[in-house]
Amino acid sequence: MALTGIEIFKLLPKTNCKECGVPTCLAFAMNLAAGKAELSACPYISEEAKAKLAEASAPPIAPIAIGVGDRALKVGSETVMFRHERRFENPPGFAILISDTMSDSEVNVRLERFKLQYERVGLILRPELIAIRDDSGDAKKFEALVNKVKQNSDGSIILMSSNPDNLAAGLKACADRKPLIYAATKDNFDRLAGLAKENSCPVVAKASSLEELIELTTKLTEAGVRDIVLDSGSRTLRQVFEDQVIIRRAALEKKFRPLGFPTIVLPCEMTDDPMKEAVIASTFVAKYGGIIVLSDFQGESLFPLLVERMNIYT
């Protein structure tokens, strides 16, 4: 359970040195309890106190990194429900979907579309992720596509399959890129937890309800998996929206750790209309998708989404 501000204050050095950026240790303790400060800001905290305060000082929504190098995507670390309260920290990542049942020519076209980028007010706006989905059920075919994407793109990768063996094959091809593994479920979480730990990769927890999702993340964390992304399993705009708000509020206001992770939403599975898909995606740029998977990228829909994201996260 998270500690109160007074409980945290009792473990601080009480020097009121102001080096943390606030006038008193009590004010710093209150910020820690509210998730608005990091423990590392205190230069005089003891190691014993650090251990005791680990839970209280952790962001209410865990930070998760997908990928490596300059193109790595960081999501999570959010501390507020509304931007006017403070700010939103990490913009959501956009992913283009590529299936292993697509022709080579279509795969090549989508890899080219992933390179779409725009300059606006001195900033380069571009997507971050490629979601590679195993629709064939053929592990070798899936692995071959993963290899092709890795060789022809510097984007971060999401590996999507319902078959743990095929995910293992995909990981064999790109584990060094630290992909996001999609997805652990109530039926395969033990195998997926092993893959995530063995390869030091984040994993999606996917359930059919929030109650099932809570049980699943609890089991994953007990198994030693800490880098988790949430998929509530809903695929209608209204229900996904409700789930996003409930997850965010539970993490921030209730400090409920089983839901204290960033989320993934899949507009690509919610409609066959490309423009409706873009409108759905725009909803979750604001509330509160961490990763947004689109069926394809087109300039007329991608550019407005990138600008919306820039405006909200400026």
Side-chain angles (χ1 to χ4, degrees):
M1 182 180 293
L3 301 179
T4 66
I6 296 300
E7 290 170 328
I8 294 171
F9 175 68
K10 293 176 181 178
L11 297 170
L12 294 179
K14 305 179 184 66
T15 59
N16 295 332
C17 67
K18 302 181 179 61
E19 293 183 37
C20 62
V22 294
T24 67
C25 288
L26 180 58
F28 180 65
M30 293 302 177
N31 284 344
L32 274 178
K36 297 180 179 179
E38 295 185 4
L39 187 59
S40 59
C42 177
Y44 303 112
I45 190 76
S46 68
E47 292 301 320
E48 181 181 359
K50 281 183 182 179
K52 292 180 179 179
L53 291 170
E55 181 181 2
S57 63
I61 298 177
I64 306 296
I66 302 163
V68 295
D70 294 339
R71 295 301 301 273
L73 174 71
K74 183 179 179 182
V75 292
S77 289
E78 302 301 339
T79 59
V80 295
M81 291 292 297
F82 306 104
R83 191 178 66 154
H84 67 264
E85 295 177 290
R86 185 182 177 210
R87 67 173 184 268
F88 291 164
E89 298 293 336
N90 289 309
F94 291 114
I96 188 172
L97 184 66
I98 299 180
S99 168
D100 66 356
T101 58
M102 291 177 179
S103 66
D104 285 343
S105 60
E106 178 62 20
V107 170
N108 292 336
V109 166
R110 294 196 178 212
L111 288 173
E112 283 300 310
R113 287 180 187 147
F114 176 75
K115 298 176 183 178
L116 284 170
Q117 63 178 41
Y118 307 89
E119 183 175 353
R120 187 173 177 85
V121 294
L123 300 175
I124 299 299
L125 310 182
R126 60 185 180 182
E128 296 78 19
L129 297 151
I130 299 174
I132 308 170
R133 191 169 66 191
D134 165 34
D135 289 325
S136 70
D138 186 327
K140 290 184 178 179
K141 196 171 184 179
F142 184 57
E143 183 180 355
L145 178 58
V146 174
N147 267 315
K148 179 171 184 174
V149 170
K150 179 182 175 182
Q151 292 167 10
N152 292 277
S153 169
D154 61 350
S156 298
I157 293 172
I158 305 173
L159 298 178
M160 304 180 71
S161 178
S162 59
N163 187 324
D165 291 331
N166 293 3
L167 285 172
L171 274 169
K172 182 181 177 182
C174 71
D176 59 323
R177 296 274 285 267
K178 302 302 177 190
L180 174 63
I181 306 170
Y182 184 101
T185 67
K186 65 179 182 179
D187 298 319
N188 69 10
F189 79 91
D190 50 348
R191 179 75 187 280
L192 268 289
L195 285 175
K197 289 194 294 182
E198 180 183 346
N199 295 279
S200 300
C201 292
V203 64
V204 173
K206 180 183 179 183
S208 59
S209 67
L210 291 180
E211 292 77 12
E212 184 181 302
L213 189 61
I214 291 166
E215 294 179 10
L216 182 55
T217 60
T218 300
K219 290 178 180 178
L220 286 170
T221 53
E222 289 174 350
V225 179
R226 295 290 182 266
D227 292 340
I228 300 172
V229 176
L230 306 179
D231 179 358
S232 67
S234 301
R235 292 297 185 267
T236 64
L237 175 58
R238 176 174 178 171
Q239 192 57 57
V240 177
F241 180 86
E242 289 181 3
D243 290 349
Q244 296 299 304
V245 174
I246 291 169
I247 289 169
R248 181 84 154 227
R249 182 167 286 130
L252 298 188
E253 297 180 2
K254 305 297 183 181
K255 304 295 189 293
F256 187 60
R257 291 298 186 192
L259 292 179
F261 303 97
T263 61
I264 184 170
V265 294
L266 294 93
C268 62
E269 296 183 2
M270 297 167 65
T271 180
D272 294 327
D273 183 335
M275 295 311 295
K276 184 176 180 180
E277 182 181 308
V279 173
I280 292 171
S282 72
T283 302
F284 298 117
V285 172
K287 295 184 180 293
Y288 291 106
I291 298 165
I292 300 170
V293 183
L294 301 172
S295 60
D296 200 357
F297 288 162
Q298 298 292 341
E300 65 270 21
S301 55
L302 179 63
F303 177 65
L305 290 171
L306 292 170
V307 172
E308 179 195 11
R309 181 178 71 175
M310 179 196 72
N311 290 340
I312 290 177
Y313 286 82
T314 297

